[in-house]
Structure formats: C-alpha cells, structure tokens
C-alpha cells in the first residue's frame, strides 16, 4: 500500500507550549489534557472526601456545619463521577489510544474533539468555581459566598433540588455545568463511533479491533443513548427552578428518579467498561499469553451495554413503583451479573499457567479483580427486593458503590497510567514507588470501605453529618477514616513517582512488549501517528512483527 502523505506540521503553523495546548486538534494532546485536568479534579474531590471522613471520624463531631457537609458531600460525588472517572477514561485514554489502536492518524472530527474538551473544561470550571467560593464562604463565615454552594447530593433528587429547598445560585451552576458536560460527552461519543467505524486500518475486522477500543465502542453507544436523557432532565429542572414550570412537582417527583437513573445506572458501566477493556489489554501482555476467549469477552461487553439499560429502577425499590415492575428489575439486576462473571472467568483463564510479569500495571489489575468482585457480589445481594428494602440508603450502599467504582474504575485507571505512560512520555514511572502505591492504596481502600458494610447492617444511614456515641458506629467510622488517609497517602506516592518521571531514563519503544498497534509507533508518537497506515493481518499485529510468527487468532 502506498504511503499516505504525512502532514509534518498542523494547519496554522507550528505552535509551542501553552498556546499549542490551547489550540491543538491532535487527539493525543487532547487526551493528555483530559487526563491531567481530570486528575486535578480527582485530587480536589479526594480532599473533599477527606473532609467527609474527618467529620465522621468520631461521634458528635463539629468539624464542619451541616450545610457545609452537605455541600462537600455533593461536590465529592459530582467531582469523582462527572469530572474524573468518565472524562479520564473516555476523553483521556479513549482520545489518546483509539486512533493509535485502529491505525488512524486522528479522530474523524478533530475540531469537534477540541470543542468537546473545552466544553468539558468550561463546565468543570462552572461547577468547581461554585464549591471553591462556598468553601471560602463557610471558612470565613461570609453568607454572600455560601450562596454558591450546592447541597442536593450528586443525585439532585427532587424536591431537595427544587428552588424552595435549594435556593442557592450554586445549585443553578451545578445544573448548568452538568448540562454542558452532557453535551460534551455526547459529541465525544459521536466522534468515537464515526472514527472507529470509518477510519480503521485495512484488515482490521471487527474481531481484530483491540479490546480497549471495543470497550470504547460500547461506552460511546451507552453515552449516546443515556446522556441526552440526563441532559433533558437537567434542562427541565433548571426550567422548574428559574421559570416556574412544574416538570418535577412534588406529586411527580418520581419522574426525576426515572430520568436520572436511566442515565446513572448505565453510567456505572460507562465508568467500568473502559477499565474492563484495559484489563483485557493488560492481562495477556503480563501473562505472556493470548487473551482467553476474545470473542466471548467482546460479546459480554456488548451484553453489559445492552442490559445496562434494563436495570435502572433497582435504585427505586422503595419509591412506590408497582411490585410487578420491581420483580422485573430484580431479575434484570441478577442477569447483568452474568456477562461480568464471564469476563472474570476469562481473565482468570488468561492468567492461568501464564508467565506472570508482576509489574505495577498487573498489580493494579489484581486490585481491580479483588475489589470489583466484592462489589459485584454485594450488588447481587442488594438486588433482592427484601434485602434492598432494609439496606436502601444505608452505608452498605456506599460500600457497594465504592467497591464497584473505585475498585473497578480507579484501580483500572492507575493500571492504564502505569502501562501506557511509556507510550505517552517515552519514560516509565518508578517501579518501586508503583508497587508501594498499589499496596498502600489496596490496604487503604479496604480499610475505608469494608467497614461500611458493617455500618450499613448496623443501620447507619448515608448522607448524615453527625451521629451519637450510643449508636455503636464509632469504631468502624474511625477505621474508615484512617483508611481514607491511607488512600490519600497512596495518591501522594503516585504524585512523587510522577514528579520523578522527568529524571527517569528513556525506555525502549515497547517496554512491556504490548501487542496492539499503538506500540508500532514511536514513544511518544509523532503528531501524524503512522508514517504509513499499517495493514492488519491478526488481532496481535505487533506480536507477529516481533516474533515473525503467524498469530492463530485464538
């Protein structure tokens, strides 16, 4: 195949430094901006989590007033979900890796890609500016600034988020920010689907598409179906607040729950499926074996994407919906565990009798597997209507939620950072610090969230700021708070490793001997990615190139 002309410089001439970042349409630079900015919001949201755990460390604590606690609680969930996990996985890793993995030079719509990024950044500033001003207001007791708080939790349940109960301008900023995030996310999903459909390298059939890219296909499809519903709900809410409409009146408050959870339960898989794709990429590399049952893994990913839209009302078992409807959603909640269980068996079979290379990326994969499976089991337990009726809105739900999302998404994100950092920078994060990071984060995570199962069984409700010494919750809460600071220590270790990156020596182009097309380019890749578009003959093209053997495409 003839070489395609290579654009050495981007249109508009060569730009450098900050101006280059602000004006780039290069998918790799956009991906890095997403990763860095999302990680900053992760740090901010983590500090808010430390505030929550400090308040709950001991009974009758007066560390922060109730109004401030509600605001901190709201913005912790908002920041972690909307500003960290979703954008770093799709906008960050997705933007950086998908064109490289399919043998393309860029996304299908580069300018729309840049527009999505800056729409995300503007939305994040709108949301986080409010909480920053509110924190200053609560600290210095300035009522004018506390009006910038939003305190209806990340679920923004009506009527709690209605004007009557949340009159602050911060609530309006929160809603407008989420609307902008929805538009950004939807544009990005369209871009991914068009790129993967239209710009794959010759020979890259559906079964040869890398596992991470397959996860982005399913994630983008879920975003395209689910996000407009949430955006519509937010538009209706802002209309209720500002123009006196009655979309979500007190008698119709359940409509908000349906619209919110129709997005937010698939959003759990929007946050987890890309991390699952990462595991399906990393485990074969560090097991020195082909992935076990690749077609089954792909089909199970698609099944998760489809079934994710059939389970939203299991969040509403105590809302008064019809018993027949409850039983349907209990059944679908049980069924959706099947494709996830299939993945677990495939991943274990991939590692079975493999030559495991116990580097930090693989350890982070172990962290994913060991914690996510607990979250899955507790989810099935809670999916039973009688059990959910007792555990609903308790700290059991907090534990389950974090075992799924932190255990799944965050361990997956760090696995991806350690694995693809040499591709992004040409240098490898310090391995000793990486292993220390994993150990402290895994211990800190389990110390934080496992006791919350016990707190939930003892009846501690979520979203409370103060509890009495006579409730028997103090020991578990103190242990959870110690664990939260352990997680903070682990993130600090990662930051030290990242700051040391500049002094690390340059490593080989493919230090982990990865098998997918991104490892066929320079590290870091040139702006044009490939001098010549590759022709794909198997699911492991780089392995074929490295070994000179024909892949049997297991």
């Amino acid at each position: 195949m003839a070489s395609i002309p290579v654009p050495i410089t981007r249109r508009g001439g060569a730009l450098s430094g900050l101006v280059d970042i602000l004006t780039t349409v290069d998918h790799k630079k956009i991906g890095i901006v997403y990763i860095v900015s999302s990680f900053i919001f992760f740090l901010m949201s983590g500090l808010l989590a430390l505030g929550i755990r400090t308040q709950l460390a001991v009974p009758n604590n007066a560390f922060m007033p109730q109004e401030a606690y509600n605001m901190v609680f709201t913005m912790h969930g908002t920041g972690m979900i909307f500003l960290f996990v979703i954008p770093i996985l799709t906008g960050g890793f997705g933007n950086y890796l998908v064109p490289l993995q399919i043998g393309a030079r860029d996304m299908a719509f580069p300018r729309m890609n840049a527009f999505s990024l800056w729409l995300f950044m503007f939305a994040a500033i709108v949301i986080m500016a409010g909480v920053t001003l509110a924190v200053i207001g609560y600290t210095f007791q300035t009522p004018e600034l506390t009006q910038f708080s939003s305190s209806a939790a990340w679920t923004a349940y009506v009527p709690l988020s209605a004007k009557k109960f949340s009159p602050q301008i911060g609530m309006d900023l929160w809603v407008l920010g989420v609307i902008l995030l929805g538009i950004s996310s939807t544009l990005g999903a369209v871009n991914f689907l068009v790129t993967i459909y239209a710009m794959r390298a010759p020979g890259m059939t559906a079964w040869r598409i890398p596992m991470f890219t397959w996860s982005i296909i399913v994630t983008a499809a879920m975003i395209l179906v689910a996000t407009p519903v949430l955006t519509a709900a937010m538009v209706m809410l802002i209309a209720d607040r500002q123009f006196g409409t009655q979309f979500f009146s007190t008698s119709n408050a359940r409509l908000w729950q349906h619209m919110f959870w129709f997005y937010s339960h698939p959003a759990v898989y929007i946050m987890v499926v890309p991390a699952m794709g990462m595991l399906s990429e990393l485990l074969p590399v560090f097991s020195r074996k082909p992935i076990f049952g690749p077609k089954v893994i792909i089909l199970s990913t698609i099944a998760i994407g489809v079934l994710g839209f059939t389970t939203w009302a299991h969040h509403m078992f105590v809302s008064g919906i019809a018993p027949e409807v409850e039983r349907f959603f209990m059944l679908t909640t049980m069924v959706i565990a099947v494709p996830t269980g299939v993945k677990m068996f495939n991943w274990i079979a991939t590692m079975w009798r493999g030559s495991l290379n116990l580097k930090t990326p693989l350890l982070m994969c172990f962290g994913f597997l060991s914690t996510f499976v607990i979250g899955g089991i507790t989810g099935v337990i809670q999916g039973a209507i009688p059990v959910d009726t007792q555990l609903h809105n308790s700290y059991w739900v907090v534990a389950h939620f974090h075992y799924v999302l932190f255990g799944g998404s965050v361990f997956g994100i760090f696995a991806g950072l350690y694995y693809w950092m040499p591709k992004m920078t040409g240098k490898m994060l310090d391995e000793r610090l990486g292993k220390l990071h994993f150990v402290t984060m895994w211990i800190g995570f389990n110390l934080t969230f496992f006791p919350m199962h016990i707190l939930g069984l003892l009846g501690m409700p979520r979203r409370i700021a103060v509890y009495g010494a006579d409730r028997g919750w103090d020991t578990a809460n103190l242990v959870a708070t110690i664990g939260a600071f352990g997680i903070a220590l682990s993130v600090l270790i990662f930051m030290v490793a990242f700051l040391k990156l500049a002094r690390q020596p340059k490593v080989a182009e493919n230090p982990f001997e990865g098998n997918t097309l991104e490892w066929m380019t320079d590290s870091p890749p040139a702006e044009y990615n490939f001098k010549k578009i590759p022709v794909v003959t198997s699911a492991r093209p780089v392995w074929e190139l490295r070994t000179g053997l024909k892949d049997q495409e297991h």
Side-chain angles (χ1 to χ4, degrees):
M1 183 176 184
S3 296
I4 298 174
V6 173
I8 300 301
T9 57
R10 202 167 39 78
R11 287 186 295 273
L15 300 174
S16 60
L18 181 62
V19 175
D20 188 30
I21 291 295
L22 292 174
T23 58
T24 186
V25 294
D26 180 2
H27 71 97
K28 298 180 293 299
K29 293 177 182 176
I30 289 173
I32 289 174
V33 173
Y34 266 115
I35 291 172
V36 172
S37 58
S38 298
F39 199 84
I40 291 171
F41 297 129
F42 170 65
L43 296 178
M44 295 174 68
S45 302
L47 289 174
L48 294 175
L50 293 180
I52 294 171
R53 289 313 319 165
T54 301
Q55 172 65 25
L56 295 173
V58 295
N60 302 311
N61 198 352
F63 175 69
M64 66 176 79
Q66 178 73 56
E67 297 80 7
Y69 179 86
N70 290 342
M71 185 268 297
V72 168
F73 184 94
T74 298
M75 296 312 301
H76 163 68
T78 300
M80 285 295 189
I81 292 169
F82 293 123
L83 302 182
F84 170 55
V85 176
I86 294 176
I88 199 172
L89 285 170
T90 54
F93 287 101
N95 261 302
Y96 195 97
L97 293 171
V98 165
L100 291 169
Q101 289 199 332
I102 65 172
R105 290 216 165 89
D106 209 320
M107 297 288 284
F109 307 112
R111 287 180 175 80
M112 188 167 81
N113 200 24
F115 177 69
S116 298
L117 167 65
W118 297 115
L119 201 59
F120 160 74
M121 294 296 292
F122 180 70
I125 290 171
V126 168
I127 292 173
M128 298 308 290
V131 68
T132 302
L133 291 173
V135 167
I136 295 172
Y138 285 118
T139 302
F140 296 100
Q141 299 182 350
T142 309
E144 295 82 2
L145 294 181
T146 59
Q147 289 301 308
F148 286 94
S149 69
S150 53
S151 55
W154 77 276
T155 55
Y157 272 6
V158 177
L160 187 60
S161 57
K163 189 78 170 179
K164 179 180 179 180
F165 297 98
S166 295
Q168 310 98 320
I169 189 176
M171 191 69 225
D172 296 301
L173 291 175
W174 185 91
V175 174
L176 291 172
V178 174
I179 291 172
L180 294 174
L181 288 173
I183 297 171
S184 170
S185 188
T186 304
L187 292 175
V190 171
N191 212 348
F192 279 124
L193 292 176
V194 174
T195 301
I196 297 167
Y197 176 77
M199 300 181 68
R200 301 196 305 274
M204 182 163 284
T205 60
W207 299 123
R208 292 174 179 173
I209 293 175
M211 294 296 171
F212 177 72
T213 298
W214 256 114
S215 73
I216 294 295
I217 294 173
V218 173
T219 301
M222 286 193 288
I223 289 172
L224 206 56
V225 175
T227 305
V229 177
L230 177 68
T231 305
M234 292 293 172
V235 171
M236 293 157 71
L237 179 59
I238 202 73
D240 281 5
R241 291 178 57 84
Q242 296 299 323
F243 305 118
T245 57
Q246 293 292 310
F247 290 111
F248 304 118
S249 62
T250 303
S251 61
N252 199 28
R254 197 184 299 150
L255 176 61
W256 171 265
Q257 294 188 42
H258 279 295
M259 296 187 73
F260 180 84
W261 288 115
F262 184 83
Y263 165 81
S264 293
H265 193 79
V268 172
Y269 303 108
I270 289 170
M271 289 182 271
V272 170
V273 164
M276 289 177 168
M278 289 179 173
L279 253 71
S280 298
E281 293 280 5
L282 271 61
L283 290 177
V285 172
F286 290 93
S287 301
R288 314 315 305 161
K289 286 175 58 182
I291 187 74
F292 182 86
K295 293 182 181 180
V296 175
I297 290 183
I298 292 169
L299 292 174
S300 66
T301 303
I302 297 171
I304 289 172
V306 174
L307 292 171
F309 288 95
T310 67
T311 60
W312 80 87
H314 70 213
H315 295 272
M316 301 169 58
F317 284 163
V318 298
S319 68
I321 58 177
E324 296 80 9
V325 176
E326 288 184 337
R327 287 194 286 270
F328 170 79
F329 282 99
M330 180 177 70
L331 175 63
T332 57
T333 300
M334 304 301 175
V335 170
I336 200 171
V338 174
T340 304
V342 167
K343 285 182 178 295
M344 284 288 177
F345 284 114
N346 280 64
W347 290 331
I348 293 170
T350 300
M351 293 185 288
W352 182 255
R353 294 186 176 178
S355 179
L356 298 183
N357 184 12
L358 294 174
K359 298 292 187 182
T360 303
L362 182 60
L363 297 180
M364 291 294 178
C365 291
F366 291 161
F368 178 110
L369 293 168
S370 60
T371 55
F372 185 80
V373 73
I374 294 175
I377 292 170
T378 57
V380 171
I381 293 171
Q382 193 179 334
I385 296 169
V387 176
D388 181 82
T389 302
Q390 298 300 314
L391 296 177
H392 186 83
N393 222 27
S394 74
Y395 256 79
W396 172 284
V397 181
V398 180
H400 159 68
F401 187 75
H402 283 84
Y403 265 90
V404 170
L405 286 185
F406 194 113
S409 299
V410 178
F411 276 105
I413 287 166
F414 279 117
L417 285 172
Y418 280 97
Y419 177 63
W420 279 296
M421 190 65 71
K423 171 53 55 183
M424 297 176 182
T425 66
K427 298 182 179 182
M428 192 179 297
L429 289 163
D430 187 281
E431 184 64 22
R432 288 177 298 176
L433 288 176
K435 290 178 177 176
L436 182 61
H437 170 203
F438 164 73
V439 171
T440 53
M441 188 165 74
W442 191 87
I443 294 174
F445 171 84
N446 285 286
L447 279 177
T448 302
F449 297 110
F450 195 84
M452 293 183 187
H453 294 102
I454 301 170
L455 288 170
L457 293 173
L458 292 175
M460 181 174 177
R462 62 199 301 192
R463 302 189 179 102
I464 66 167
V466 179
Y467 58 92
D470 59 336
R471 306 307 296 269
W473 301 339
D474 44 344
T475 301
N477 271 302
L478 181 60
V479 171
T481 299
I482 293 170
F485 280 90
I487 296 174
L489 175 61
S490 74
V491 176
L492 181 62
I493 294 169
F494 173 79
M495 295 300 297
V496 172
F498 181 77
L499 293 175
K500 286 184 60 179
L501 191 64
R503 300 198 300 272
Q504 294 288 95
K506 188 170 177 60
V507 296
E509 298 291 343
N510 187 0
F512 296 120
E513 297 186 350
N515 299 318
T516 42
L517 281 182
E518 73 269 25
W519 298 107
M520 197 176 284
T521 62
D522 296 332
S523 297
E527 186 169 349
Y528 48 82
N529 292 347
F530 300 92
K531 294 179 181 178
K532 181 179 179 179
I533 299 298
V535 176
V536 178
T537 59
S538 78
R540 299 192 297 165
V542 178
W543 181 85
E544 279 193 0
L545 183 67
R546 186 172 64 247
T547 63
L549 301 174
K550 179 67 176 176
D551 190 4
Q552 299 300 312
E553 299 207 44
H554 295 263

